[in-house]
């Protein structure tokens, strides 16, 4: 094996991927942005208020233009993290599997504990809201009665995933301090490793959710496959936030306590335990709640199980969600890149 064939931990590369010319990267991004803007402008919804639709189009195009400007100016900084993640994808997968295994290595039941607490939480909420408060059914988008336990699970399953992924991603640098201090290790992969490890548990609960819906009479169909799309949406949202929070956590150790409080508030501010349409009839208040990206995710999981609606039917919600994720990802990447040179000194 010659020197060119040798690789060090966290430095695996694919030919050409890490050497994408700046002009090519910017051109690809601008082309995608222009295509998205054209789709938004040409999209026509005859059943909606046209003044509102025009306002949405103006806002969306403005955000796209700002994203293009930021991406073009800060291209070198923004693209560092995505390229590092791609070049180290094999290492990321191996470390994610090991992280999931070692989490419960010292217990008798092992990985069973990863599923016990979420199951107990679902049963507790189901007993309180259905058996005590009498919330028997919810009305689905196509006018069907949905058992409350299915409605509840479709909201809690993605929320559990978000809570675990964001919490573990935020503390990833502190947990892997010995790797952060290694000069040759790409520390940008650490938040991703923790989120992938949380995905293993989430996949089990997705199967459980589909099974519960099937028992309730909602047979799996092509619409159910959209759950992978919404899972990817949530994955990218957690990763985008974790890049910023994991970097800040190194310097401000109280951040995790603040995040835990925000997650508690967020669970009730997101339509998980309650139906948005029935509890909040005012469209202005609904609009405010829909600004929460997790509202899009929770509603998406429910549409996969029993509403039988495609994700592109929520056109503006999908556009807004991805604009928010891309914006957070760019900010998180910049924060992480500017902070990482100080990590070893602080830790």
């Amino acid at each position: 094996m010659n020197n060119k064939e040798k690789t060090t931990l966290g430095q695996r590369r694919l030919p050409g991927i890490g050497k994408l010319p700046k002009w090519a990267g910017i051109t690809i991004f601008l082309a995608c942005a222009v295509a998205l803007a054209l789709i938004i402008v040409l999209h026509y919804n005859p059943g909606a208020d046209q003044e509102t639709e025009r306002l949405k189009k103006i806002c969306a195009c403005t955000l796209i233009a700002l994203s293009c400007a930021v991406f073009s100016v800060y291209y070198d900084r923004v693209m560092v993290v995505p390229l590092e993640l791609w070049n180290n994808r094999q290492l990321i997968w191996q470390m994610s599997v090991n992280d999931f295994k070692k989490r419960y290595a010292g217990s008798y039941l092992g990985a069973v504990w990863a599923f016990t607490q979420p199951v107990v939480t679902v049963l507790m909420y189901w007993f309180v809201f259905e058996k005590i408060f009498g919330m028997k059914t919810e009305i689905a988008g196509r006018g069907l009665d949905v058992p409350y336990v299915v409605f509840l699970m479709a909201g809690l399953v993605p929320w559990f995933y978000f809570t675990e992924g964001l919490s573990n991603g935020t503390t990833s640098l502190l947990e892997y301090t010995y790797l952060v201090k290694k000069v040759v290790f790409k520390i940008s992969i650490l938040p991703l490793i923790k989120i992938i490890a949380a995905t293993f548990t989430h996949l089990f609960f997705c199967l459980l959710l589909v099974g519960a819906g099937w028992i309730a009479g909602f047979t799996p169909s092509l619409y159910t496959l959209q759950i992978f799309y919404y899972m990817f949406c949530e994955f990218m949202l957690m990763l985008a936030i974790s890049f910023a929070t994991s970097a800040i956590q190194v310097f401000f150790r109280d951040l995790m306590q603040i995040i835990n409080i925000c997650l508690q508030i967020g669970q009730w501010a997101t339509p998980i335990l309650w139906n948005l349409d029935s509890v909040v009839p005012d469209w202005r208040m609904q609009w405010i709640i829909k600004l929460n990206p997790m509202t899009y995710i929770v509603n998406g999981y429910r549409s996969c199980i029993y509403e039988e609606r495609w994700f592109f039917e929520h056109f503006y919600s999908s556009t807004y969600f991805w604009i928010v994720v891309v914006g957070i990802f760019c900010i998180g990447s910049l924060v992480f890149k500017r902070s990482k040179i100080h990590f070893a000194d602080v830790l």
Side-chain angles (χ1 to χ4, degrees), residues 255-268:
L255 178 63
M256 195 62 237
Q257 306 302 324
I258 298 176
I259 290 177
N260 288 332
I261 294 174
C262 292
L263 289 174
Q264 290 180 357
I265 298 174
Q267 181 174 346
W268 294 97

Side-chain angles (χ1 to χ4, degrees), residues 91-105:
L91 178 63
I92 291 171
W93 174 257
Q94 295 172 0
M95 292 189 66
S96 299
V97 174
N98 292 335
D99 183 89
F100 180 77
K101 290 180 179 179
K102 76 175 185 179
R103 192 181 309 174
Y104 307 98

Side-chain angles (χ1 to χ4, degrees), residues 258-296:
I258 298 176
I259 290 177
N260 288 332
I261 294 174
C262 292
L263 289 174
Q264 290 180 357
I265 298 174
Q267 181 174 346
W268 294 97
T270 307
I272 297 172
L273 307 176
W274 45 275
N275 191 322
L276 179 61
D277 295 327
S278 59
V279 176
V280 187
D282 187 358
W283 68 269
R284 289 180 291 268
M285 184 61 67
Q286 287 190 11
W287 185 79
I288 295 175
I289 294 175
K290 288 180 179 179
L291 291 177
N292 176 6
M294 281 304 297
T295 299
Y296 174 74

Side-chain angles (χ1 to χ4, degrees), residues 4-22:
K4 293 183 178 181
E5 294 174 338
K6 293 181 180 180
T7 58
T8 57
L9 184 64
Q11 290 182 316
R12 301 178 183 178
R13 289 182 176 269
L14 290 180
I17 295 297
K19 301 178 181 179
L20 182 68
K22 180 177 180 178

Side-chain angles (χ1 to χ4, degrees), residues 141-156:
R142 53 195 172 109
L144 297 177
D145 291 339
V146 181
Y148 185 73
V149 65
V150 177
F151 174 86
L152 180 64
M153 287 182 63
L156 286 177

Side-chain angles (χ1 to χ4, degrees), residues 47-101:
D49 180 69
Q50 296 307 309
E51 289 296 328
T52 303
E53 293 296 296
R54 184 159 45 250
L55 178 60
K56 290 180 178 178
K57 291 179 180 181
I58 293 174
C59 293
C61 292
T62 302
L63 289 174
I64 291 174
L66 290 175
S67 300
C68 291
V70 172
F71 184 82
S72 300
V73 174
Y74 297 101
Y75 175 85
D76 294 329
R77 298 180 182 179
V78 171
M79 289 301 295
V80 169
V81 173
L83 291 176
E84 286 183 356
L85 299 181
W86 172 259
N87 293 330
N88 294 277
R89 64 192 187 281
Q90 294 181 352
L91 178 63
I92 291 171
W93 174 257
Q94 295 172 0
M95 292 189 66
S96 299
V97 174
N98 292 335
D99 183 89
F100 180 77
K101 290 180 179 179

